[in-house]
Amino acid sequence: GRVKKRSNPTETNGAASPGTPYIWPATGDDAGTGGSGPQPVTWTSAVGLTVNGNSLTKTAASGWGNAGASSVQSILSGDGYVEVTANETNTYRMIGLSNGDTNQNFPELDHAINLTSNGTMIVYENGAPKGSSVSYANGDLLRVAIEGGVVKYKKNGNVFYTSTVAPAYPLLVYTALHTTGATLNSVMISGAAG
């Protein structure tokens, strides 16, 4: 799938009028394939947190449903992923891919990793836990990936859960943060030709 920016009234696409979706041009290895390599997430719909580039920090009171953001970019079809490096193991927050963004609560997440405050994580899909808890540490690279139409959850490149739920495109990066001060740093999105 091609990663595309959603409509943003402050941007233009060449001579197009404001609000026209911006399509990232193919470059380098992506030229000719219509795909898009890894790029920093640009956040929108941010509530209850501060945004610093492609990173988020929760400022609202602890609790679900009052802090989150979604990506301007979306995976339109085919393979792609969201990736984040764990920076703390003592807060609750979720990150993943979702078809839509109507609120900041975790049941909205179609395919997510729930990072808990005890150094474990578990997959959540549409508000329900899946599989077993897996430990994580600061510096671990965590990814929710679509590969060949299958959603795979990875830690440091190794699959720890494979979903039985097919992805519904387009997919946004979507977050829900619980603990005040929780962070999601240096979040990346990638999409390939579909």
Side-chain angles (χ1 to χ4, degrees), residues 43 45 47-49 56-58 63-70 91-98 101 103-109 111-116 124 173-179 182-184:
W43 299 108
S45 303
V47 173
L49 43 78
L56 303 172
T57 302
K58 180 166 181 174
W64 290 114
N66 65 354
S70 59
T91 65
Y92 287 95
R93 65 256 189 243
M94 291 192 186
I95 185 167
L97 297 170
S98 190
D101 173 15
N103 61 53
Q104 292 72 47
N105 213 349
F106 70 87
E108 175 87 5
L109 282 152
H111 308 280
I113 296 173
N114 178 17
L115 300 159
T116 72
Y124 265 69
V173 175
Y174 187 88
T175 66
L177 292 84
H178 177 277
T179 311
T183 65
L184 292 167

Side-chain angles (χ1 to χ4, degrees), residues 14 24 51 86 93 112 191:
W24 287 96
V51 175
R93 65 256 189 243

Side-chain angles (χ1 to χ4, degrees), residues 1-6 13 21-37 39 71-81 169-172 189-194:
R2 182 143 174 93
V3 176
K4 177 185 100 168
K5 283 194 170 193
R6 295 190 307 173
N13 189 6
Y22 180 80
I23 307 298
W24 287 96
T27 58
D29 292 338
D30 297 323
T33 66
S36 176
Q39 60 184 272
S71 63
V72 170
Q73 305 101 319
S74 60
I75 301 169
L76 301 179
S77 63
D79 293 351
Y81 63 81
Y169 297 96
L171 292 164
L172 306 171
I189 185 172
S190 182

Side-chain angles (χ1 to χ4, degrees), residues 96-178:
L97 297 170
S98 190
N99 176 260
D101 173 15
T102 59
N103 61 53
Q104 292 72 47
N105 213 349
F106 70 87
E108 175 87 5
L109 282 152
D110 296 344
H111 308 280
I113 296 173
N114 178 17
L115 300 159
T116 72
S117 66
N118 66 0
T120 62
M121 61 183 172
I122 190 165
V123 169
Y124 265 69
E125 292 184 336
N126 298 305
K130 303 288 182 179
S132 300
S133 293
V134 175
S135 66
Y136 74 97
N138 289 343
D140 281 347
L141 190 61
L142 309 174
R143 182 181 285 192
V144 179
I146 312 299
E147 297 176 358
V150 177
V151 182
K152 296 180 181 181
Y153 299 83
K154 298 181 178 187
K155 179 178 95 170
N156 299 324
N158 298 309
V159 175
F160 66 90
Y161 184 79
T162 301
S163 180
T164 59
V165 178
Y169 297 96
L171 292 164
L172 306 171
V173 175
Y174 187 88
T175 66
L177 292 84
H178 177 277

